[in-house]
Amino acid sequence: NACVPNEECNANNECVALASYDSYQDVGYCTSEIDEQVDGAATAEECLNLCKLEFPDFEQLFVEFINGGECYCQNECTCMDDLSSAGRTTFTPTGVDLPAMCCSDDPSWRFKGKRTCEWVGKKPSRRCRKRGNDERKAHVACKKACDSCDR
């Protein structure tokens, strides 16, 4: 089946409009119900093309490429996580805005070996300044407990 420019063949060998994507650098990654890693991508563009081939039935496709070759295909983008890591390209369908940052507590954070973000949340005005075992302050690791999601 011969498609015209700006069209591509879908899984049923029908010509459909070529989907366009916006590319973002170092904005974190989308959280998604489906987050499938695919192999074989050396560039962000190769990652996007692999995801299109692997998941042609996704109503919307979100793609994350981490420099070094990790490629993830997602079916939604409910919120953005890990905004501090560099070396990541995130693709979203054109016209779909990036959502807000995720607001959650790091379940691995500990203060003095056993205190968790749940403990911090019981007295946030005093405990959000505490430095955990990993040297991160509670307001960084326990964003929900400390109401620090916008920081």
Side-chain angles (χ1 to χ4, degrees):
N1 201 8
C3 297
V4 299
N6 296 326
E7 287 187 338
E8 62 185 349
C9 277
N10 66 12
N12 297 325
N13 205 25
E14 302 165 327
C15 293
V16 294
L18 187 63
S20 61
Y21 291 84
D22 293 328
S23 172
Y24 300 91
Q25 296 297 313
D26 302 328
V27 295
Y29 66 86
C30 292
T31 57
S32 177
E33 179 185 328
I34 296 174
D35 189 18
E36 293 292 328
Q37 185 172 4
V38 295
D39 295 325
T43 67
E45 289 72 25
E46 286 177 12
C47 178
L48 176 61
N49 289 330
L50 281 172
C51 287
K52 286 179 178 180
L53 289 171
E54 285 286 325
F55 300 99
D57 297 331
F58 280 6
E59 190 172 312
Q60 289 189 316
L61 178 67
F62 298 85
V63 177
E64 173 197 5
F65 178 77
I66 301 172
N67 291 351
E70 288 184 60
C71 177
Y72 297 90
C73 313
Q74 301 156 324
N75 67 329
E76 61 187 347
C77 191
T78 56
C79 62
M80 300 303 293
D81 207 349
D82 193 16
L83 278 65
S84 61
S85 293
R88 176 181 284 134
T89 302
T90 302
F91 290 100
T92 64
T94 297
V96 175
D97 293 330
L98 288 175
M101 181 175 75
C102 300
C103 186
S104 61
D105 294 334
D106 182 342
S108 68
W109 186 87
R110 295 289 183 275
F111 175 72
K112 292 192 176 179
K114 61 181 181 177
R115 304 287 187 183
T116 66
C117 291
E118 184 178 342
W119 172 81
V120 170
K122 291 178 181 174
K123 294 183 182 175
S125 62
R126 291 180 34 198
R127 296 176 177 167
C128 288
R129 294 185 298 262
K130 301 286 185 191
R131 191 172 297 277
N133 299 349
D134 63 2
E135 297 300 313
R136 289 183 299 156
K137 288 194 174 184
H139 72 87
V140 173
C142 306
K143 291 194 173 290
K144 189 172 183 180
C146 292
D147 194 24
S148 60
C149 293
D150 56 353
R151 290 187 233 159

